[in-house]
Amino acid sequence: AQSVTQLGSHVSVSEGALVLLRCNYSSSVPPYLFWYVQYPNQGLQLLLKYTSAATLVKGINGFEAEFKKSETSFHLTKPSAHMSDAAEYFCAVSDASGTYKYIFGTGTRLKVLA
Amino acid sequence: DGGITQSPKYLFRKEGQNVTLSCEQNLNHDAMYWYRQDPGQGLRLIYYSQIVNDFQKGDIAEGYSVSREKKESFPLTVTSAQKNPTAFYLCATRKGELFFGEGSRLTVL
């Protein structure tokens, strides 16, 4: 069975500071991993995805994530936070066999302080 | 532009009433999904459909029903049997990753 754990339901950073949002997964098969962002009362937008190619994945808006198999982690980072980054972020896992199942974490709400 | 359209954006319903949420897509994707989102619980899968005229229950299907008569459309009915229907509902399609609509917020009065 697959699962996703996001550590920290709320994270606050100062504008210009490093953003680090944590995601650990559990999967018995090679995983596909995703980060999505959600702004209030909107749908989810894909930030980046890992599909077994390069372990360091670059996404939109300056975000990137590194797949670490030994740590079963896929943490999301951005070197310098911007006010517009304030949103909720979701990590999700699927499996490489192409089944329908996408498991989402419970989300991390990012607050950016001026 | 290609995309996923959910309607209505906001919906209020009295207890005991069925309501139907619309989801239309012009991305030509075969697979479509319905998720429910509650604060602090992430997204939970209600139903999904891999192809026209076929759909399967997800993790929380009780009190919901769907149909998939056309590739473009995957409506969700929230029935009176759903004990706690107030939530944000998201429709998605799949091609490699999930693509989401803007969501529908249902409030039961």
Side-chain angles (χ1 to χ4, degrees):
Chain A
Q2 295 175 308
S3 66
V4 172
T5 301
Q6 291 184 241
L7 292 175
S9 58
H10 292 81
V11 170
S12 293
V13 299
S14 298
E15 191 174 20
L18 172 72
V19 175
L20 171 60
L21 304 182
R22 300 178 186 274
C23 173
N24 289 88
Y25 71 92
S26 171
S27 179
S28 58
V29 297
Y32 286 173
L33 293 158
F34 308 84
W35 275 101
Y36 285 86
V37 61
Q38 184 183 33
Y39 297 97
N41 291 313
Q42 293 187 23
L44 278 68
Q45 178 185 6
L46 182 71
L47 277 176
L48 49 81
K49 63 181 178 182
Y50 166 78
T51 56
S52 75
T55 56
L56 181 62
V57 181
K58 293 188 183 297
I60 63 172
N61 301 339
F63 285 94
E64 63 182 37
E66 186 172 7
F67 173 69
K68 292 187 176 180
K69 184 177 179 180
S70 60
E71 299 177 7
T72 61
S73 69
F74 190 58
H75 301 333
L76 182 71
T77 60
K78 182 174 180 178
S80 177
H82 191 273
M83 298 298 287
S84 61
D85 295 327
E88 190 155 23
Y89 293 81
F90 291 92
C91 182
V93 63
S94 180
D95 67 61
S97 68
T99 63
Y100 74 92
K101 202 79 170 179
Y102 289 74
I103 306 298
F104 284 83
T106 52
T108 297
R109 186 167 298 278
L110 176 66
K111 186 174 183 179
V112 181
L113 307 172
Chain B
D1 282 358
I4 302 165
T5 302
Q6 289 189 239
S7 62
K9 179 77 172 176
Y10 298 94
L11 183 61
F12 297 87
R13 147 193 147 178
K14 294 180 180 179
E15 282 192 23
Q17 290 180 334
N18 292 356
V19 293
T20 297
L21 307 180
S22 170
C23 179
E24 302 281 331
Q25 58 112 348
N26 59 6
L27 299 171
N28 201 33
H29 293 169
D30 286 316
M32 297 187 73
Y33 298 71
W34 274 105
Y35 285 91
R36 170 179 171 142
Q37 184 178 16
D38 297 282
Q41 296 195 45
L43 277 68
R44 293 182 289 167
L45 181 63
I46 305 173
Y47 269 96
Y48 70 101
S49 168
Q50 304 257 48
I51 198 167
V52 175
N53 292 323
D54 187 50
F55 50 84
Q56 285 78 41
K57 294 181 179 179
D59 300 317
I60 56 165
E62 185 176 351
Y64 299 97
S65 66
V66 293
S67 63
R68 186 83 188 279
E69 298 176 0
K70 299 186 300 181
K71 187 175 185 177
E72 300 79 16
S73 180
F74 191 40
L76 174 73
T77 296
V78 185
T79 75
S80 56
Q82 169 51 231
K83 298 302 181 187
N84 187 20
T86 294
F88 191 55
Y89 291 88
L90 287 159
C91 177
T93 65
R94 176 174 61 87
K95 187 164 187 176
E97 68 250 20
L98 294 178
F99 297 81
F100 286 87
E102 292 289 291
S104 292
R105 185 168 297 282
L106 172 62
T107 303
V108 174
L109 304 174

PDB file of all heavy atoms in Angstrom, chain A residues 47-84:
ATOM      1  N   LEU A  47       3.064  21.540  -9.561  1.00  0.00           N
ATOM      2  CA  LEU A  47       4.326  22.263  -9.454  1.00  0.00           C
ATOM      3  C   LEU A  47       5.453  21.495 -10.135  1.00  0.00           C
ATOM      4  O   LEU A  47       6.258  22.071 -10.868  1.00  0.00           O
ATOM      5  CB  LEU A  47       4.711  22.446  -7.983  1.00  0.00           C
ATOM      6  CG  LEU A  47       4.095  23.592  -7.200  1.00  0.00           C
ATOM      7  CD1 LEU A  47       4.552  23.514  -5.745  1.00  0.00           C
ATOM      8  CD2 LEU A  47       4.448  24.931  -7.808  1.00  0.00           C
ATOM      9  N   LEU A  48       5.525  20.196  -9.832  1.00  0.00           N
ATOM     10  CA  LEU A  48       6.569  19.357 -10.401  1.00  0.00           C
ATOM     11  C   LEU A  48       6.223  17.896 -10.167  1.00  0.00           C
ATOM     12  O   LEU A  48       5.352  17.578  -9.358  1.00  0.00           O
ATOM     13  CB  LEU A  48       7.942  19.690  -9.792  1.00  0.00           C
ATOM     14  CG  LEU A  48       8.055  19.773  -8.277  1.00  0.00           C
ATOM     15  CD1 LEU A  48       8.193  18.402  -7.633  1.00  0.00           C
ATOM     16  CD2 LEU A  48       9.240  20.652  -7.884  1.00  0.00           C
ATOM     17  N   LYS A  49       6.951  17.014 -10.894  1.00  0.00           N
ATOM     18  CA  LYS A  49       6.715  15.578 -10.731  1.00  0.00           C
ATOM     19  C   LYS A  49       8.009  14.802 -10.926  1.00  0.00           C
ATOM     20  O   LYS A  49       8.904  15.218 -11.689  1.00  0.00           O
ATOM     21  CB  LYS A  49       5.653  15.092 -11.712  1.00  0.00           C
ATOM     22  CG  LYS A  49       6.046  15.252 -13.181  1.00  0.00           C
ATOM     23  CD  LYS A  49       4.918  14.754 -14.091  1.00  0.00           C
ATOM     24  CE  LYS A  49       5.278  14.945 -15.558  1.00  0.00           C
ATOM     25  NZ  LYS A  49       4.179  14.503 -16.461  1.00  0.00           N
ATOM     26  N   TYR A  50       8.102  13.707 -10.233  1.00  0.00           N
ATOM     27  CA  TYR A  50       9.208  12.765 -10.376  1.00  0.00           C
ATOM     28  C   TYR A  50       8.662  11.477 -10.972  1.00  0.00           C
ATOM     29  O   TYR A  50       7.719  10.888 -10.444  1.00  0.00           O
ATOM     30  CB  TYR A  50       9.847  12.469  -9.022  1.00  0.00           C
ATOM     31  CG  TYR A  50      10.755  11.264  -9.066  1.00  0.00           C
ATOM     32  CD1 TYR A  50      12.036  11.368  -9.606  1.00  0.00           C
ATOM     33  CD2 TYR A  50      10.328  10.023  -8.611  1.00  0.00           C
ATOM     34  CE1 TYR A  50      12.858  10.264  -9.685  1.00  0.00           C
ATOM     35  CE2 TYR A  50      11.153   8.919  -8.678  1.00  0.00           C
ATOM     36  CZ  TYR A  50      12.413   9.040  -9.224  1.00  0.00           C
ATOM     37  OH  TYR A  50      13.234   7.946  -9.296  1.00  0.00           O
ATOM     38  N   THR A  51       9.277  11.063 -12.099  1.00  0.00           N
ATOM     39  CA  THR A  51       8.810   9.843 -12.761  1.00  0.00           C
ATOM     40  C   THR A  51       9.977   8.945 -13.123  1.00  0.00           C
ATOM     41  O   THR A  51      10.014   8.365 -14.204  1.00  0.00           O
ATOM     42  CB  THR A  51       7.989  10.186 -14.010  1.00  0.00           C
ATOM     43  OG1 THR A  51       8.807  11.008 -14.867  1.00  0.00           O
ATOM     44  CG2 THR A  51       6.719  10.913 -13.663  1.00  0.00           C
ATOM     45  N   SER A  52      10.951   8.839 -12.223  1.00  0.00           N
ATOM     46  CA  SER A  52      12.082   7.912 -12.305  1.00  0.00           C
ATOM     47  C   SER A  52      13.189   8.361 -13.250  1.00  0.00           C
ATOM     48  O   SER A  52      14.039   7.567 -13.592  1.00  0.00           O
ATOM     49  CB  SER A  52      11.629   6.499 -12.674  1.00  0.00           C
ATOM     50  OG  SER A  52      11.296   6.419 -14.051  1.00  0.00           O
ATOM     51  N   ALA A  53      13.191   9.582 -13.658  1.00  0.00           N
ATOM     52  CA  ALA A  53      14.306  10.115 -14.443  1.00  0.00           C
ATOM     53  C   ALA A  53      15.279  10.768 -13.444  1.00  0.00           C
ATOM     54  O   ALA A  53      15.713  10.123 -12.507  1.00  0.00           O
ATOM     55  CB  ALA A  53      13.808  11.086 -15.497  1.00  0.00           C
ATOM     56  N   ALA A  54      15.607  12.022 -13.623  1.00  0.00           N
ATOM     57  CA  ALA A  54      16.536  12.705 -12.723  1.00  0.00           C
ATOM     58  C   ALA A  54      15.943  12.800 -11.320  1.00  0.00           C
ATOM     59  O   ALA A  54      14.756  13.047 -11.156  1.00  0.00           O
ATOM     60  CB  ALA A  54      16.837  14.099 -13.252  1.00  0.00           C
ATOM     61  N   THR A  55      16.788  12.618 -10.315  1.00  0.00           N
ATOM     62  CA  THR A  55      16.285  12.659  -8.937  1.00  0.00           C
ATOM     63  C   THR A  55      16.035  14.079  -8.458  1.00  0.00           C
ATOM     64  O   THR A  55      15.254  14.288  -7.531  1.00  0.00           O
ATOM     65  CB  THR A  55      17.272  11.972  -7.988  1.00  0.00           C
ATOM     66  OG1 THR A  55      18.559  12.606  -8.122  1.00  0.00           O
ATOM     67  CG2 THR A  55      17.394  10.491  -8.320  1.00  0.00           C
ATOM     68  N   LEU A  56      16.687  15.061  -9.058  1.00  0.00           N
ATOM     69  CA  LEU A  56      16.423  16.459  -8.727  1.00  0.00           C
ATOM     70  C   LEU A  56      15.489  17.006  -9.796  1.00  0.00           C
ATOM     71  O   LEU A  56      15.851  17.070 -10.972  1.00  0.00           O
ATOM     72  CB  LEU A  56      17.723  17.260  -8.675  1.00  0.00           C
ATOM     73  CG  LEU A  56      17.560  18.747  -8.305  1.00  0.00           C
ATOM     74  CD1 LEU A  56      16.976  18.879  -6.902  1.00  0.00           C
ATOM     75  CD2 LEU A  56      18.902  19.465  -8.395  1.00  0.00           C
ATOM     76  N   VAL A  57      14.333  17.385  -9.360  1.00  0.00           N
ATOM     77  CA  VAL A  57      13.296  17.803 -10.289  1.00  0.00           C
ATOM     78  C   VAL A  57      13.045  19.299 -10.128  1.00  0.00           C
ATOM     79  O   VAL A  57      12.841  19.777  -9.007  1.00  0.00           O
ATOM     80  CB  VAL A  57      11.984  17.041 -10.027  1.00  0.00           C
ATOM     81  CG1 VAL A  57      10.914  17.467 -11.020  1.00  0.00           C
ATOM     82  CG2 VAL A  57      12.211  15.547 -10.086  1.00  0.00           C
ATOM     83  N   LYS A  58      13.056  19.999 -11.217  1.00  0.00           N
ATOM     84  CA  LYS A  58      12.776  21.435 -11.184  1.00  0.00           C
ATOM     85  C   LYS A  58      11.344  21.663 -11.672  1.00  0.00           C
ATOM     86  O   LYS A  58      10.898  21.031 -12.640  1.00  0.00           O
ATOM     87  CB  LYS A  58      13.767  22.188 -12.055  1.00  0.00           C
ATOM     88  CG  LYS A  58      15.196  22.129 -11.506  1.00  0.00           C
ATOM     89  CD  LYS A  58      16.128  23.029 -12.270  1.00  0.00           C
ATOM     90  CE  LYS A  58      17.558  22.891 -11.761  1.00  0.00           C
ATOM     91  NZ  LYS A  58      17.670  23.316 -10.335  1.00  0.00           N
ATOM     92  N   GLY A  59      10.656  22.578 -10.991  1.00  0.00           N
ATOM     93  CA  GLY A  59       9.282  22.853 -11.341  1.00  0.00           C
ATOM     94  C   GLY A  59       9.063  24.312 -11.681  1.00  0.00           C
ATOM     95  O   GLY A  59       9.991  25.054 -11.967  1.00  0.00           O
ATOM     96  N   ILE A  60       7.813  24.705 -11.597  1.00  0.00           N
ATOM     97  CA  ILE A  60       7.471  26.079 -11.914  1.00  0.00           C
ATOM     98  C   ILE A  60       7.698  26.981 -10.712  1.00  0.00           C
ATOM     99  O   ILE A  60       7.814  26.504  -9.584  1.00  0.00           O
ATOM    100  CB  ILE A  60       6.004  26.184 -12.394  1.00  0.00           C
ATOM    101  CG1 ILE A  60       5.041  25.756 -11.281  1.00  0.00           C
ATOM    102  CG2 ILE A  60       5.796  25.361 -13.652  1.00  0.00           C
ATOM    103  CD1 ILE A  60       3.585  26.013 -11.610  1.00  0.00           C
ATOM    104  N   ASN A  61       7.770  28.284 -10.977  1.00  0.00           N
ATOM    105  CA  ASN A  61       7.878  29.298  -9.918  1.00  0.00           C
ATOM    106  C   ASN A  61       9.105  29.132  -9.038  1.00  0.00           C
ATOM    107  O   ASN A  61       9.102  29.572  -7.891  1.00  0.00           O
ATOM    108  CB  ASN A  61       6.617  29.288  -9.031  1.00  0.00           C
ATOM    109  CG  ASN A  61       5.351  29.567  -9.820  1.00  0.00           C
ATOM    110  OD1 ASN A  61       5.400  30.139 -10.907  1.00  0.00           O
ATOM    111  ND2 ASN A  61       4.222  29.147  -9.290  1.00  0.00           N
ATOM    112  N   GLY A  62      10.175  28.535  -9.549  1.00  0.00           N
ATOM    113  CA  GLY A  62      11.420  28.410  -8.812  1.00  0.00           C
ATOM    114  C   GLY A  62      11.484  27.285  -7.808  1.00  0.00           C
ATOM    115  O   GLY A  62      12.462  27.168  -7.061  1.00  0.00           O
ATOM    116  N   PHE A  63      10.494  26.425  -7.769  1.00  0.00           N
ATOM    117  CA  PHE A  63      10.486  25.296  -6.842  1.00  0.00           C
ATOM    118  C   PHE A  63      11.258  24.111  -7.423  1.00  0.00           C
ATOM    119  O   PHE A  63      11.321  23.930  -8.632  1.00  0.00           O
ATOM    120  CB  PHE A  63       9.051  24.858  -6.532  1.00  0.00           C
ATOM    121  CG  PHE A  63       8.333  25.776  -5.594  1.00  0.00           C
ATOM    122  CD1 PHE A  63       7.526  26.794  -6.076  1.00  0.00           C
ATOM    123  CD2 PHE A  63       8.457  25.614  -4.216  1.00  0.00           C
ATOM    124  CE1 PHE A  63       6.862  27.643  -5.205  1.00  0.00           C
ATOM    125  CE2 PHE A  63       7.799  26.458  -3.337  1.00  0.00           C
ATOM    126  CZ  PHE A  63       6.995  27.470  -3.834  1.00  0.00           C
ATOM    127  N   GLU A  64      11.810  23.318  -6.531  1.00  0.00           N
ATOM    128  CA  GLU A  64      12.421  22.070  -6.931  1.00  0.00           C
ATOM    129  C   GLU A  64      12.274  21.054  -5.801  1.00  0.00           C
ATOM    130  O   GLU A  64      11.972  21.413  -4.655  1.00  0.00           O
ATOM    131  CB  GLU A  64      13.892  22.239  -7.309  1.00  0.00           C
ATOM    132  CG  GLU A  64      14.804  22.711  -6.207  1.00  0.00           C
ATOM    133  CD  GLU A  64      16.239  22.882  -6.696  1.00  0.00           C
ATOM    134  OE1 GLU A  64      16.451  23.309  -7.846  1.00  0.00           O
ATOM    135  OE2 GLU A  64      17.147  22.589  -5.899  1.00  0.00           O
ATOM    136  N   ALA A  65      12.459  19.793  -6.141  1.00  0.00           N
ATOM    137  CA  ALA A  65      12.354  18.724  -5.155  1.00  0.00           C
ATOM    138  C   ALA A  65      13.353  17.640  -5.507  1.00  0.00           C
ATOM    139  O   ALA A  65      13.671  17.427  -6.677  1.00  0.00           O
ATOM    140  CB  ALA A  65      10.937  18.148  -5.127  1.00  0.00           C
ATOM    141  N   GLU A  66      13.839  16.962  -4.486  1.00  0.00           N
ATOM    142  CA  GLU A  66      14.806  15.900  -4.694  1.00  0.00           C
ATOM    143  C   GLU A  66      14.256  14.583  -4.198  1.00  0.00           C
ATOM    144  O   GLU A  66      13.822  14.469  -3.047  1.00  0.00           O
ATOM    145  CB  GLU A  66      16.111  16.205  -3.977  1.00  0.00           C
ATOM    146  CG  GLU A  66      17.207  15.188  -4.295  1.00  0.00           C
ATOM    147  CD  GLU A  66      18.560  15.571  -3.742  1.00  0.00           C
ATOM    148  OE1 GLU A  66      18.641  16.565  -2.992  1.00  0.00           O
ATOM    149  OE2 GLU A  66      19.537  14.878  -4.068  1.00  0.00           O
ATOM    150  N   PHE A  67      14.269  13.589  -5.060  1.00  0.00           N
ATOM    151  CA  PHE A  67      13.846  12.239  -4.700  1.00  0.00           C
ATOM    152  C   PHE A  67      15.017  11.526  -4.031  1.00  0.00           C
ATOM    153  O   PHE A  67      16.081  11.384  -4.624  1.00  0.00           O
ATOM    154  CB  PHE A  67      13.408  11.479  -5.952  1.00  0.00           C
ATOM    155  CG  PHE A  67      13.116  10.018  -5.715  1.00  0.00           C
ATOM    156  CD1 PHE A  67      12.008   9.644  -4.975  1.00  0.00           C
ATOM    157  CD2 PHE A  67      13.945   9.038  -6.240  1.00  0.00           C
ATOM    158  CE1 PHE A  67      11.730   8.300  -4.768  1.00  0.00           C
ATOM    159  CE2 PHE A  67      13.670   7.692  -6.033  1.00  0.00           C
ATOM    160  CZ  PHE A  67      12.556   7.334  -5.297  1.00  0.00           C
ATOM    161  N   LYS A  68      14.810  11.101  -2.775  1.00  0.00           N
ATOM    162  CA  LYS A  68      15.831  10.353  -2.040  1.00  0.00           C
ATOM    163  C   LYS A  68      15.241   9.009  -1.640  1.00  0.00           C
ATOM    164  O   LYS A  68      14.490   8.910  -0.655  1.00  0.00           O
ATOM    165  CB  LYS A  68      16.300  11.138  -0.817  1.00  0.00           C
ATOM    166  CG  LYS A  68      17.077  12.398  -1.164  1.00  0.00           C
ATOM    167  CD  LYS A  68      17.648  13.042   0.086  1.00  0.00           C
ATOM    168  CE  LYS A  68      18.511  14.252  -0.260  1.00  0.00           C
ATOM    169  NZ  LYS A  68      19.084  14.905   0.936  1.00  0.00           N
ATOM    170  N   LYS A  69      15.615   8.000  -2.385  1.00  0.00           N
ATOM    171  CA  LYS A  69      15.034   6.673  -2.150  1.00  0.00           C
ATOM    172  C   LYS A  69      15.413   6.144  -0.770  1.00  0.00           C
ATOM    173  O   LYS A  69      14.586   5.545  -0.073  1.00  0.00           O
ATOM    174  CB  LYS A  69      15.511   5.706  -3.233  1.00  0.00           C
ATOM    175  CG  LYS A  69      14.896   4.329  -3.158  1.00  0.00           C
ATOM    176  CD  LYS A  69      15.367   3.468  -4.307  1.00  0.00           C
ATOM    177  CE  LYS A  69      14.759   2.073  -4.220  1.00  0.00           C
ATOM    178  NZ  LYS A  69      15.211   1.204  -5.342  1.00  0.00           N
ATOM    179  N   SER A  70      16.651   6.369  -0.350  1.00  0.00           N
ATOM    180  CA  SER A  70      17.114   5.839   0.935  1.00  0.00           C
ATOM    181  C   SER A  70      16.358   6.453   2.103  1.00  0.00           C
ATOM    182  O   SER A  70      16.209   5.824   3.151  1.00  0.00           O
ATOM    183  CB  SER A  70      18.611   6.089   1.094  1.00  0.00           C
ATOM    184  OG  SER A  70      18.879   7.480   1.057  1.00  0.00           O
ATOM    185  N   GLU A  71      15.868   7.662   1.931  1.00  0.00           N
ATOM    186  CA  GLU A  71      15.137   8.345   2.992  1.00  0.00           C
ATOM    187  C   GLU A  71      13.625   8.353   2.724  1.00  0.00           C
ATOM    188  O   GLU A  71      12.869   8.892   3.528  1.00  0.00           O
ATOM    189  CB  GLU A  71      15.629   9.790   3.112  1.00  0.00           C
ATOM    190  CG  GLU A  71      17.099   9.907   3.467  1.00  0.00           C
ATOM    191  CD  GLU A  71      17.584  11.342   3.523  1.00  0.00           C
ATOM    192  OE1 GLU A  71      16.742  12.262   3.412  1.00  0.00           O
ATOM    193  OE2 GLU A  71      18.808  11.550   3.667  1.00  0.00           O
ATOM    194  N   THR A  72      13.212   7.755   1.638  1.00  0.00           N
ATOM    195  CA  THR A  72      11.803   7.773   1.170  1.00  0.00           C
ATOM    196  C   THR A  72      11.221   9.174   1.305  1.00  0.00           C
ATOM    197  O   THR A  72      10.138   9.375   1.853  1.00  0.00           O
ATOM    198  CB  THR A  72      10.928   6.735   1.913  1.00  0.00           C
ATOM    199  OG1 THR A  72      10.906   7.038   3.304  1.00  0.00           O
ATOM    200  CG2 THR A  72      11.431   5.332   1.681  1.00  0.00           C
ATOM    201  N   SER A  73      11.969  10.143   0.774  1.00  0.00           N
ATOM    202  CA  SER A  73      11.530  11.528   0.895  1.00  0.00           C
ATOM    203  C   SER A  73      11.470  12.208  -0.464  1.00  0.00           C
ATOM    204  O   SER A  73      12.143  11.792  -1.428  1.00  0.00           O
ATOM    205  CB  SER A  73      12.472  12.298   1.826  1.00  0.00           C
ATOM    206  OG  SER A  73      13.746  12.457   1.227  1.00  0.00           O
ATOM    207  N   PHE A  74      10.692  13.264  -0.505  1.00  0.00           N
ATOM    208  CA  PHE A  74      10.551  14.072  -1.722  1.00  0.00           C
ATOM    209  C   PHE A  74      10.218  15.494  -1.265  1.00  0.00           C
ATOM    210  O   PHE A  74       9.147  16.013  -1.492  1.00  0.00           O
ATOM    211  CB  PHE A  74       9.464  13.493  -2.629  1.00  0.00           C
ATOM    212  CG  PHE A  74       9.401  14.096  -4.006  1.00  0.00           C
ATOM    213  CD1 PHE A  74      10.497  14.077  -4.853  1.00  0.00           C
ATOM    214  CD2 PHE A  74       8.225  14.665  -4.483  1.00  0.00           C
ATOM    215  CE1 PHE A  74      10.444  14.613  -6.125  1.00  0.00           C
ATOM    216  CE2 PHE A  74       8.147  15.198  -5.762  1.00  0.00           C
ATOM    217  CZ  PHE A  74       9.253  15.184  -6.572  1.00  0.00           C
ATOM    218  N   HIS A  75      11.152  16.117  -0.584  1.00  0.00           N
ATOM    219  CA  HIS A  75      10.938  17.439  -0.003  1.00  0.00           C
ATOM    220  C   HIS A  75      10.959  18.534  -1.064  1.00  0.00           C
ATOM    221  O   HIS A  75      11.759  18.493  -2.008  1.00  0.00           O
ATOM    222  CB  HIS A  75      12.000  17.742   1.052  1.00  0.00           C
ATOM    223  CG  HIS A  75      12.039  16.758   2.171  1.00  0.00           C
ATOM    224  ND1 HIS A  75      10.940  16.020   2.588  1.00  0.00           N
ATOM    225  CD2 HIS A  75      13.067  16.370   2.975  1.00  0.00           C
ATOM    226  CE1 HIS A  75      11.281  15.247   3.588  1.00  0.00           C
ATOM    227  NE2 HIS A  75      12.562  15.418   3.847  1.00  0.00           N
ATOM    228  N   LEU A  76      10.125  19.523  -0.877  1.00  0.00           N
ATOM    229  CA  LEU A  76       9.989  20.651  -1.803  1.00  0.00           C
ATOM    230  C   LEU A  76      10.763  21.844  -1.259  1.00  0.00           C
ATOM    231  O   LEU A  76      10.630  22.179  -0.080  1.00  0.00           O
ATOM    232  CB  LEU A  76       8.504  21.016  -1.963  1.00  0.00           C
ATOM    233  CG  LEU A  76       8.172  22.150  -2.931  1.00  0.00           C
ATOM    234  CD1 LEU A  76       8.405  21.693  -4.368  1.00  0.00           C
ATOM    235  CD2 LEU A  76       6.730  22.596  -2.742  1.00  0.00           C
ATOM    236  N   THR A  77      11.553  22.484  -2.115  1.00  0.00           N
ATOM    237  CA  THR A  77      12.324  23.638  -1.667  1.00  0.00           C
ATOM    238  C   THR A  77      12.233  24.787  -2.672  1.00  0.00           C
ATOM    239  O   THR A  77      11.944  24.585  -3.854  1.00  0.00           O
ATOM    240  CB  THR A  77      13.814  23.292  -1.467  1.00  0.00           C
ATOM    241  OG1 THR A  77      14.358  22.829  -2.716  1.00  0.00           O
ATOM    242  CG2 THR A  77      14.003  22.218  -0.412  1.00  0.00           C
ATOM    243  N   LYS A  78      12.490  25.977  -2.142  1.00  0.00           N
ATOM    244  CA  LYS A  78      12.628  27.167  -2.974  1.00  0.00           C
ATOM    245  C   LYS A  78      13.614  28.075  -2.253  1.00  0.00           C
ATOM    246  O   LYS A  78      13.445  28.319  -1.055  1.00  0.00           O
ATOM    247  CB  LYS A  78      11.292  27.872  -3.174  1.00  0.00           C
ATOM    248  CG  LYS A  78      11.385  29.098  -4.080  1.00  0.00           C
ATOM    249  CD  LYS A  78      10.024  29.699  -4.369  1.00  0.00           C
ATOM    250  CE  LYS A  78      10.161  30.919  -5.278  1.00  0.00           C
ATOM    251  NZ  LYS A  78       8.858  31.512  -5.640  1.00  0.00           N
ATOM    252  N   PRO A  79      14.632  28.554  -2.924  1.00  0.00           N
ATOM    253  CA  PRO A  79      15.696  29.304  -2.233  1.00  0.00           C
ATOM    254  C   PRO A  79      15.216  30.583  -1.564  1.00  0.00           C
ATOM    255  O   PRO A  79      15.706  30.946  -0.496  1.00  0.00           O
ATOM    256  CB  PRO A  79      16.690  29.623  -3.359  1.00  0.00           C
ATOM    257  CG  PRO A  79      16.400  28.637  -4.438  1.00  0.00           C
ATOM    258  CD  PRO A  79      14.934  28.359  -4.353  1.00  0.00           C
ATOM    259  N   SER A  80      14.251  31.263  -2.178  1.00  0.00           N
ATOM    260  CA  SER A  80      13.856  32.564  -1.677  1.00  0.00           C
ATOM    261  C   SER A  80      12.339  32.724  -1.793  1.00  0.00           C
ATOM    262  O   SER A  80      11.796  32.766  -2.898  1.00  0.00           O
ATOM    263  CB  SER A  80      14.552  33.669  -2.481  1.00  0.00           C
ATOM    264  OG  SER A  80      14.146  34.944  -2.066  1.00  0.00           O
ATOM    265  N   ALA A  81      11.673  32.788  -0.653  1.00  0.00           N
ATOM    266  CA  ALA A  81      10.209  32.865  -0.651  1.00  0.00           C
ATOM    267  C   ALA A  81       9.718  34.222  -1.117  1.00  0.00           C
ATOM    268  O   ALA A  81      10.305  35.270  -0.803  1.00  0.00           O
ATOM    269  CB  ALA A  81       9.683  32.586   0.758  1.00  0.00           C
ATOM    270  N   HIS A  82       8.611  34.177  -1.837  1.00  0.00           N
ATOM    271  CA  HIS A  82       7.933  35.391  -2.287  1.00  0.00           C
ATOM    272  C   HIS A  82       6.547  35.403  -1.694  1.00  0.00           C
ATOM    273  O   HIS A  82       5.974  34.344  -1.423  1.00  0.00           O
ATOM    274  CB  HIS A  82       7.877  35.387  -3.824  1.00  0.00           C
ATOM    275  CG  HIS A  82       7.451  36.686  -4.414  1.00  0.00           C
ATOM    276  ND1 HIS A  82       6.125  37.004  -4.616  1.00  0.00           N
ATOM    277  CD2 HIS A  82       8.171  37.763  -4.817  1.00  0.00           C
ATOM    278  CE1 HIS A  82       6.045  38.211  -5.130  1.00  0.00           C
ATOM    279  NE2 HIS A  82       7.269  38.693  -5.269  1.00  0.00           N
ATOM    280  N   MET A  83       5.999  36.582  -1.511  1.00  0.00           N
ATOM    281  CA  MET A  83       4.655  36.688  -0.921  1.00  0.00           C
ATOM    282  C   MET A  83       3.636  35.872  -1.704  1.00  0.00           C
ATOM    283  O   MET A  83       2.702  35.306  -1.123  1.00  0.00           O
ATOM    284  CB  MET A  83       4.211  38.144  -0.859  1.00  0.00           C
ATOM    285  CG  MET A  83       5.078  39.038   0.006  1.00  0.00           C
ATOM    286  SD  MET A  83       5.074  38.534   1.739  1.00  0.00           S
ATOM    287  CE  MET A  83       3.432  39.049   2.220  1.00  0.00           C
ATOM    288  N   SER A  84       3.816  35.792  -3.005  1.00  0.00           N
ATOM    289  CA  SER A  84       2.865  35.064  -3.843  1.00  0.00           C
ATOM    290  C   SER A  84       2.947  33.545  -3.645  1.00  0.00           C
ATOM    291  O   SER A  84       2.122  32.813  -4.187  1.00  0.00           O
ATOM    292  CB  SER A  84       3.103  35.388  -5.311  1.00  0.00           C
ATOM    293  OG  SER A  84       4.404  34.999  -5.693  1.00  0.00           O
TER     294      SER A  84
END
